[in-house]
């Protein structure tokens, strides 16, 4: 059974960098075949896709966040990470990591972390 | 365009059937994926592909698609089905970066 777990500071000051790590257990990122994804959810709002990374290090980001986002992978630790720079209160959200599976004319997130609430406040 | 539109809220009487819809241009080329989210919990995959359910998802959940509209049908809704439901699909980039705004399902 694959499990994902987010970790990182729950409070970040405005203008600073939000950093989160997702630790994957029960499966190896380096085995390939999946995209590893960050998704966020503002309080009381819907889901927003942030970006993903393949085990090779190839990334793809949301166009609205592209200038501030970086996702990296550490296959030796079976982790992938999110960095979001220059945060404001609008970046306050629950951040989820998830595994993205590709199929014919489809893609789906079959495993999710429990979510990490990050509050941006001074 | 890379947008998916859902009705904000839908209600259904206990034991009755309900359809939740999702509209968007990307659905002409890609299947919708459906997620259920209960308060304080992470989303859970309920339907993917043409009409596939992950292990553990009751068979009262089914999916269908026609043109630019995808539907999630719950046949015989139960109290535990009360939740937010989100559709998602790949867009022209090939990545599943488009989410619908979500539908809040109330079971009366």
């Amino acid at each position: 059974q694959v499990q994902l777990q987010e970790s990182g500071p729950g409070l970040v000051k405005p203008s600073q960098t939000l950093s989160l790590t997702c630790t994957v257990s029960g499966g190896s990122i380096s085995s390939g075949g999946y995209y590893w994804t960050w998704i966020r959810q503002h309080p009381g709002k819907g889901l927003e896709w942030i970006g993903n990374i393949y085990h090779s290090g190839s990334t793809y980001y949301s166009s609205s966040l592209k200038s501030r986002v970086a996702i990296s992978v550490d296959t030796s630790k079976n982790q992938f990470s999110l960095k979001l720079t220059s945060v404001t209160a609008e970046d306050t959200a629950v951040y989820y990591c998830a595994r993205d599976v590709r199929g014919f004319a489809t893609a789906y997130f079959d495993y999710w972390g429990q979510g990490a609430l990050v509050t941006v406040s001074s | 365009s890379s947008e998916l539109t859902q009705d904000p809220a839908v209600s259904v009487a206990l034991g009755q059937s309900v359809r939740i819809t999702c509209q968007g241009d990307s659905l002409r080329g890609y299947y919708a994926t459906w997620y259920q989210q209960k308060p304080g919990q992470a989303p859970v995959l309920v339907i993917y592909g043409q009409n596939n359910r992950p292990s553990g998802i009751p068979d009262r959940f089914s999916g269908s698609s026609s043109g630019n509209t995808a539907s999630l049908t719950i046949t015989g809704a139960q109290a535990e089905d009360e939740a937010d439901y989100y559709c998602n699909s790949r867009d022209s980039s090939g990545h599943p970066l488009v989410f619908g705004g979500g539908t809040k399902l109330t079971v009366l």
Side-chain angles (χ1 to χ4, degrees):
Chain A
Q1 175 83 348
V2 174
Q3 293 185 309
L4 290 80
Q5 177 70 58
E6 305 90 350
S7 59
L11 180 64
V12 181
K13 288 181 167 47
S15 80
Q16 295 192 340
T17 296
L18 179 159
S19 296
L20 291 172
T21 294
C22 182
T23 300
V24 180
S25 58
S28 174
I29 290 177
S30 60
S31 64
Y34 306 104
Y35 289 82
W36 303 91
T37 304
W38 287 99
I39 294 163
R40 71 179 181 179
Q41 186 170 35
H42 295 103
K45 302 298 184 182
L47 300 169
E48 179 183 13
W49 188 90
I50 299 171
N52 66 24
I53 191 164
Y54 200 60
H55 71 94
S56 61
S58 175
T59 56
Y60 195 84
Y61 301 132
S62 163
S63 58
S64 64
L65 295 170
K66 187 175 183 178
S67 63
R68 299 194 292 129
V69 170
I71 297 175
S72 59
V73 65
D74 186 338
T75 54
S76 67
K77 294 182 179 179
N78 221 29
Q79 296 175 333
F80 62 106
S81 299
L82 169 70
K83 289 190 186 300
L84 182 65
T85 62
S86 306
V87 297
T88 70
E90 284 66 48
D91 294 309
T92 294
V94 174
Y95 287 76
Y96 295 101
C97 56
R99 187 177 81 167
D100 167 357
V101 183
R102 300 296 169 96
F104 172 71
T106 191
Y108 51 94
F109 306 109
D110 60 346
Y111 292 102
W112 296 66
Q114 66 185 27
L117 173 62
V118 179
T119 301
V120 179
S121 174
S122 56
Chain B
S1 69
S2 297
E3 290 185 359
L4 296 175
T5 301
Q6 299 181 242
D7 291 329
V10 171
S11 62
V12 61
L14 183 67
Q16 297 301 301
S17 296
V18 62
R19 176 175 293 184
I20 298 170
T21 60
C22 174
Q23 288 189 300
D25 288 342
S26 62
L27 299 179
R28 295 186 184 279
Y30 294 110
Y31 294 115
T33 300
W34 292 94
Y35 299 91
Q36 175 193 71
Q37 187 180 34
K38 296 181 180 179
Q41 298 182 18
V44 172
L45 176 68
V46 293
I47 291 290
Y48 66 97
Q50 188 170 16
N51 181 22
N52 300 298
R53 285 176 290 103
S55 174
I57 301 301
D59 60 6
R60 62 178 178 271
F61 289 88
S62 62
S64 61
S65 182
S66 178
N68 74 334
T69 301
S71 300
L72 172 69
T73 300
I74 306 174
T75 303
Q78 302 300 303
E80 60 264 32
D81 299 334
E82 187 163 287
D84 294 326
Y85 290 86
Y86 293 93
C87 61
N88 171 263
S89 115
R90 298 167 79 168
D91 81 340
S92 56
S93 71
H95 294 280
L97 50 80
V98 189
F99 282 100
T103 297
K104 181 176 183 60
L105 176 67
T106 300
V107 180
L108 303 172

